[in-house]
Amino acid sequence: MARYFDEVAHTFNEYLLIPGYSSAECMLDRVDLSTPLVRYKRGCEPALKLNIPLTSAIMQSVSDDTMAISLAREGGLSFVYSSQPVEQEAAMIAKVKDYKAGFVVSDSNLSPNMTLKEVIELKEKSGHSTMPVTADGTSHGKVLGIVTSRDYRPSRTPLSTKVTDFMTPFERLVVAPEETTLKEANDIIWDHKLNALPVIDKNGCLLYMVFRKDYDSHKQNPLENLDSHKRYIVGAGINTHDYTERIPAMVKAGADVLCIDSSEGFSEWQERTLKWAHDEYGESVRIGAGNVVDRDGFRFLADAGADFIKVGIGGGSICITREQKGIGRGQATSIIEVAKARNEYFEETGVYVPICSDGGIVFDHHMTLALAMGADFMMLGRYFARFDESPTNKVTINGNYMKEYWGEGSARAVNWARYSQGPQRKLSFEEGVDSYVPYAGALKDNVAVTLAKIRSTMCNCGSLTIPEFQKKAKLTLISSTSIIEGGAHDVMLKDQVNLLPSR
């Protein structure tokens, strides 16, 4: 007969943390949120870490190159979505790696034969006033000069004037060779009182631009997630269908870590994918797998060589897998069981396999609960979909700004590689919805608030690191009445009342 679990499956909203002793050392600026991203052996350091425990989901409506750059700047990681042609995903990965913290691949470039009219039009379109002039007008052409707003006066210079007639020529430029570090580039900028510094290769072709205005921005992001070459770290989604083509392309493009995008990971398909990757690349390519919700699923993927394992089925805000298929498990219960299995695996084998909580997070405090329950980091979709940096449109619904957000299991995503129910490569039914989420503004501002809440709660529990937090955390189940008690109640909130002016 079927196996029955005695325990009810619980969600994050059914738990609260019990405060612990907090010493004078528990200050928010002392809390270290770094966490391992991939498996490692006892006594060794992981090959990849996160400076904050946040990753963005492998979704069309969440993770493109813009999101990847913005999140890596804050210390996290994006997994660029795989439900697109291999070449397009590889191009997004390459763009993130080309960005290089503080080094910008110019997207506003001029050719010498362009006119002032075209310069002004490009400036209005891009918002950039500093534009390199290259022989072929591309971002990596041979540098001939540079144009800034100080090189022309639209009121006096004829709009038909060629760029060559008013640009600052190459021989008068201060440039830097490609081996220049960011610190050296900033020193050159300050020493020569420049606003921008072109970085060129040995053939005089443009590689990057370093801008004075980015110096302060770079200093304001001490947790930037960078590789050994000071480039942003980025992940790439893959699937169990075209992995023999997609994995090599992602590796060539520079992806630091891969992740199998699947609604259910306890399968021979994922085992095959992991085996092929390990046979081809050994440990030089790191791949996460999932999703699972119990000990058996974790052990299967850990033994198959997964570098991290995603936990959660059916808990996402746009996921209707439980409703459609009747499978899944409460996210809190899933994390608790899988974290216990991870710790057992570590004791038995000496190999630590990080787990990622994927789905079921609605409020910021749910992230703290996920960490306390044993998650090493979270993968978030709805949370990041609300920000300027997500790739979807901002629209107005009933007078409120919203952002579009759809699931990979929805018809809109056309993600046959994740949800195909047959050889025809089409969806027999949907496991995700097409929706809107409230627009929330810039990623940086919102992530800062979220991290402040996590740090504050950790201090309340007397913890300065995530591992310490997981050891010290005390959790309690709460009743439905307690949930109501936890919010504002028995009062009339001012922002919900239209007060009449006094007479």
Side-chain angles (χ1 to χ4, degrees):
M1 61 179 290
R3 175 188 176 189
Y4 291 87
F5 287 81
D6 294 329
E7 181 190 13
V8 173
H10 297 286
T11 66
F12 293 130
N13 223 37
E14 297 174 76
Y15 282 91
L16 283 177
L17 280 156
I18 304 297
Y21 171 72
S22 180
S23 71
E25 293 184 355
C26 286
M27 306 288 287
L28 266 63
D29 59 355
R30 295 182 181 179
V31 175
D32 179 4
L33 292 178
S34 63
T35 189
L37 176 61
V38 297
R39 67 162 58 205
Y40 62 93
K41 295 180 180 179
R42 181 183 285 114
C44 300
E45 286 292 314
L48 292 170
K49 296 177 70 175
L50 298 170
N51 293 328
I52 62 172
L54 306 181
T55 65
S56 65
I58 311 170
M59 299 176 69
Q60 295 173 12
S61 55
V62 178
S63 299
D64 64 354
D65 49 283
T66 300
M67 176 63 71
I69 291 169
S70 299
L71 185 51
R73 186 179 290 133
E74 301 306 315
L77 177 84
S78 287
F79 286 93
V80 173
Y81 68 93
S82 54
S83 51
Q84 61 177 320
V86 172
E87 297 77 15
Q88 289 183 21
E89 185 182 5
M92 286 187 181
I93 296 296
K95 189 171 181 180
V96 178
K97 300 308 291 188
D98 278 348
Y99 189 87
K100 202 175 179 181
F103 292 79
V104 180
V105 176
S106 177
D107 59 2
S108 297
N109 306 287
L110 305 172
S111 65
N113 292 322
M114 291 177 69
T115 65
L116 176 58
K117 182 177 183 292
E118 292 173 301
V119 172
I120 294 173
E121 289 174 348
L122 181 57
K123 178 182 176 182
E124 291 175 349
K125 179 180 178 181
S126 67
H128 302 152
S129 58
T130 299
M131 305 178 193
V133 182
T134 61
D136 57 3
T138 68
S139 56
H140 295 302
K142 186 176 181 62
V143 180
L144 302 181
I146 199 167
V147 169
T148 72
S149 56
R150 294 177 298 180
D151 291 317
Y152 60 86
R153 294 182 65 180
S155 60
R156 293 191 177 184
T157 309
L159 294 180
S160 60
T161 306
K162 299 289 187 183
V163 165
T164 49
D165 294 331
F166 60 86
M167 70 180 186
T168 301
F170 180 80
E171 54 269 20
R172 289 171 50 194
L173 295 179
V174 176
V175 298
E178 61 181 304
E179 62 270 16
T180 304
T181 65
L182 183 59
K183 182 181 183 304
E184 291 170 340
N186 283 315
D187 287 342
I188 294 171
I189 286 173
W190 285 94
D191 290 344
H192 292 83
K193 300 180 179 179
L194 304 173
N195 286 324
L197 175 69
V199 178
I200 62 175
D201 65 15
K202 60 183 179 181
N203 297 316
C205 294
L206 182 64
L207 297 173
Y208 308 104
M209 296 291 292
V210 180
F211 295 94
R212 173 188 287 264
K213 65 180 178 62
D214 288 339
Y215 177 77
D216 290 336
S217 173
H218 179 65
K219 298 296 286 186
Q220 291 171 5
N221 296 289
L223 296 178
E224 285 180 317
N225 205 354
L226 307 174
D227 65 17
S228 58
H229 299 288
K230 304 298 182 183
R231 302 174 301 179
Y232 286 131
I233 288 179
V234 62
I238 60 171
N239 60 65
T240 58
H241 293 265
D242 64 5
Y243 58 88
T244 58
E245 177 187 1
R246 194 171 293 268
I247 290 178
M250 297 307 110
V251 172
K252 183 178 180 181
D256 299 279
V257 60
L258 309 176
C259 184
I260 301 173
D261 179 32
S262 174
S263 58
E264 204 282 301
F266 196 174
S267 73
E268 181 180 349
W269 304 111
Q270 294 217 5
E271 185 180 40
R272 288 184 184 182
T273 303
L274 291 166
K275 183 180 186 305
W276 184 89
H278 293 146
D279 289 346
E280 292 292 319
Y281 296 98
E283 292 188 357
S284 65
V285 171
R286 300 289 187 163
I287 304 180
N291 288 22
V292 300
V293 293
D294 64 0
R295 179 184 184 276
D296 294 342
F298 172 86
R299 295 290 300 219
F300 174 80
L301 289 178
D303 289 339
D307 284 289
F308 67 84
I309 295 172
K310 292 197 298 169
V311 181
I313 294 177
S317 61
I318 42 68
C319 183
I320 54 174
T321 294
R322 297 180 193 176
E323 178 182 313
Q324 292 281 60
K325 297 168 64 175
I327 64 169
R329 198 180 195 187
Q331 188 67 7
T333 300
S334 300
I335 291 293
I336 291 169
E337 179 174 326
V338 174
K340 182 178 180 181
R342 180 220 30 224
N343 295 343
E344 291 172 352
Y345 191 84
F346 182 53
E347 289 300 315
E348 293 175 19
T349 66
V351 176
Y352 188 91
V353 182
I355 62 173
C356 166
S357 178
D358 180 17
I361 290 174
V362 179
F363 306 109
D364 287 351
H365 75 271
H366 289 171
M367 301 185 202
T368 314
L369 287 167
L371 294 173
M373 291 171 180
D376 295 282
F377 58 96
M378 285 80 65
M379 180 173 283
L380 308 165
R382 183 197 61 85
Y383 177 82
F384 287 112
R386 303 171 302 144
F387 303 151
D388 289 319
E389 292 79 3
S390 73
T392 62
N393 296 319
K394 183 171 71 172
V395 297
T396 303
I397 305 293
N398 296 327
N400 298 311
Y401 283 120
M402 310 288 283
K403 294 256 328 192
E404 295 176 317
Y405 180 45
W406 61 91
E408 288 299 300
S410 67
R412 180 172 182 174
V414 198
N415 190 355
W416 64 265
R418 191 179 205 255
Y419 289 97
S420 173
Q421 279 99 33
Q424 293 79 24
R425 293 186 173 183
K426 66 179 182 179
L427 300 182
S428 300
F429 56 88
E430 292 182 284
E431 292 186 48
V433 300
D434 198 343
S435 64
Y436 300 100
V437 289
Y439 169 66
L443 178 147
K444 182 178 181 65
D445 297 336
N446 285 276
V447 167
V449 173
T450 296
L451 297 180
K453 292 178 183 178
I454 294 174
R455 293 187 177 104
S456 180
T457 304
M458 288 174 61
C459 283
N460 291 149
C461 296
S463 306
L464 292 177
T465 67
I466 292 174
E468 182 183 17
F469 183 42
Q470 292 170 345
K471 290 178 181 178
K472 291 184 175 181
K474 296 179 291 183
L475 294 124
T476 181
L477 277 167
I478 59 176
S479 68
S480 57
T481 306
S482 295
I483 295 174
I484 297 172
E485 180 186 61
H489 59 89
D490 301 312
V491 295
M492 184 175 289
L493 300 180
K494 288 185 176 181
D495 61 2
Q496 295 177 357
V497 179
N498 293 321
L499 295 177
L500 293 174
S502 59
R503 295 184 178 179

